[in-house]
Amino acid sequence: MKASTAGWTNGLLGVLIFSGSLPATRVAVAGFSPLFLTAARAAIAAALGAVLLAALRQSLPARRDLASLAIVAFGVVAGFPLLTALALTQVTAAHSIVFIALLPLATAGFGVLRGGERPAPAFWLFSMLGSAVVAGFALANDATANLGGDLAMLAAIVVCGLGYAEGAALSRRLGGWQVISWALLLAAPAMLALAAVTWPADWSRVALPAWLGLGYVSVFSMLVGFVFWYRGLALGGIAGVGQLQLLQPFFGLVLAGWLLGEPIAASMIAATGAVVLCVTLARRYA
């Protein structure tokens, strides 16, 4: 009971932290290019992760874990941050948050593939309904819609689901915060090189809000959030605690409207609610 309660508590803290990621990224891309933002946030988080690993005297991961760590790095260190940064140069944070409602489904889908489970046919029915809702929303005549931004968000959800599922499985052996820290270190050389070649030409043009956005996604979205999230999944169970991701779109829409002053159309709320319902029903039959 204590482990389950701790799992849900840690998972909720992780979701709350992740909910600020897209609004913070939206602010940061106003001053930094998507490529530099992706590289800088990973490099900063990797430095912090290295300090944690060294201070707590963690052993090196086994060779058999390197492939899984590479998948985590691809999904949540490089893929999701870059794709969302590219999307947020074309669409609003409020618009992009609707797509986050598909993240639990993507995580479940990769969990099914990895674990060899056989969900009931109803699972796939509700999965397709949820995807249809998102496709309809993306193709609707919405002033904030953009085909390139929507496709980038869909791709971001896929790679993030892969990273979540792989990281959750690996955290059972390595521990939650260790997984993200080692994945960050594995990606660090490439991220540092990318940061060097995408360095802003004029730092004086980078406003304070962009710096604050970079700081948030580097420290909280890229590291602290995963400390709580992977710990929650390990203690409370992937299927149960993973349901908390359904709250993220609602938290994110509130933040986008409150902090950025972005319009939140009724269609966004309706689409998010419909997708959350579909994902909830799909997970019940997973």
Side-chain angles (χ1 to χ4, degrees), residues 100-202:
I100 298 297
L102 286 176
L103 188 52
L105 183 58
T107 305
F110 282 109
V112 166
L113 292 175
R114 192 179 188 285
E117 299 176 1
R118 295 293 182 270
F123 172 85
W124 303 113
L125 172 62
F126 291 119
S127 297
M128 289 186 290
L129 285 175
S131 299
V133 169
V134 173
F137 172 80
L139 296 174
N141 187 21
D142 186 339
T144 63
N146 177 282
L147 180 59
D150 291 342
L151 290 176
M153 280 304 305
L154 285 174
I157 295 304
V158 172
V159 299
C160 189
L162 172 62
Y164 276 0
E166 194 69 27
L170 189 58
S171 66
R172 295 169 181 167
R173 293 200 302 271
L174 296 185
W177 69 268
Q178 292 92 332
V179 167
I180 189 61
S181 295
W182 286 120
L184 285 164
L185 283 179
L186 188 64
M191 294 296 101
L192 287 170
L194 180 60
V197 299
T198 57
W199 200 267
D202 187 357

Side-chain angles (χ1 to χ4, degrees), residues 46-256:
L48 296 174
V51 171
L52 281 175
L53 291 168
L56 298 177
R57 301 179 180 274
Q58 297 298 300
S59 301
L60 290 171
R63 183 174 298 180
R64 61 172 180 156
D65 295 328
L66 293 180
S68 291
L69 286 171
I71 292 174
V72 174
F74 168 75
V76 302
V77 175
F80 183 77
L82 177 58
L83 288 166
T84 53
L86 289 170
L88 286 165
T89 62
Q90 304 173 69
V91 299
T92 65
H95 181 90
S96 67
I97 284 166
V98 176
F99 292 86
I100 298 297
L102 286 176
L103 188 52
L105 183 58
T107 305
F110 282 109
V112 166
L113 292 175
R114 192 179 188 285
E117 299 176 1
R118 295 293 182 270
F123 172 85
W124 303 113
L125 172 62
F126 291 119
S127 297
M128 289 186 290
L129 285 175
S131 299
V133 169
V134 173
F137 172 80
L139 296 174
N141 187 21
D142 186 339
T144 63
N146 177 282
L147 180 59
D150 291 342
L151 290 176
M153 280 304 305
L154 285 174
I157 295 304
V158 172
V159 299
C160 189
L162 172 62
Y164 276 0
E166 194 69 27
L170 189 58
S171 66
R172 295 169 181 167
R173 293 200 302 271
L174 296 185
W177 69 268
Q178 292 92 332
V179 167
I180 189 61
S181 295
W182 286 120
L184 285 164
L185 283 179
L186 188 64
M191 294 296 101
L192 287 170
L194 180 60
V197 299
T198 57
W199 200 267
D202 187 357
W203 290 97
S204 64
R205 295 189 176 184
V206 181
L208 178 60
W211 283 110
L212 294 176
L214 172 60
Y216 187 92
V217 296
S218 301
V219 178
F220 294 97
S221 303
M222 200 77 267
L223 182 62
V224 177
F226 280 101
V227 172
F228 290 111
W229 182 240
Y230 279 148
R231 177 174 170 79
L233 292 175
L235 291 177
I238 297 173
V241 175
Q243 295 283 341
L244 290 170
Q245 293 179 102
L246 300 177
L247 300 173
Q248 188 170 334
F250 297 106
F251 294 149
L253 284 173
V254 170
L255 288 172

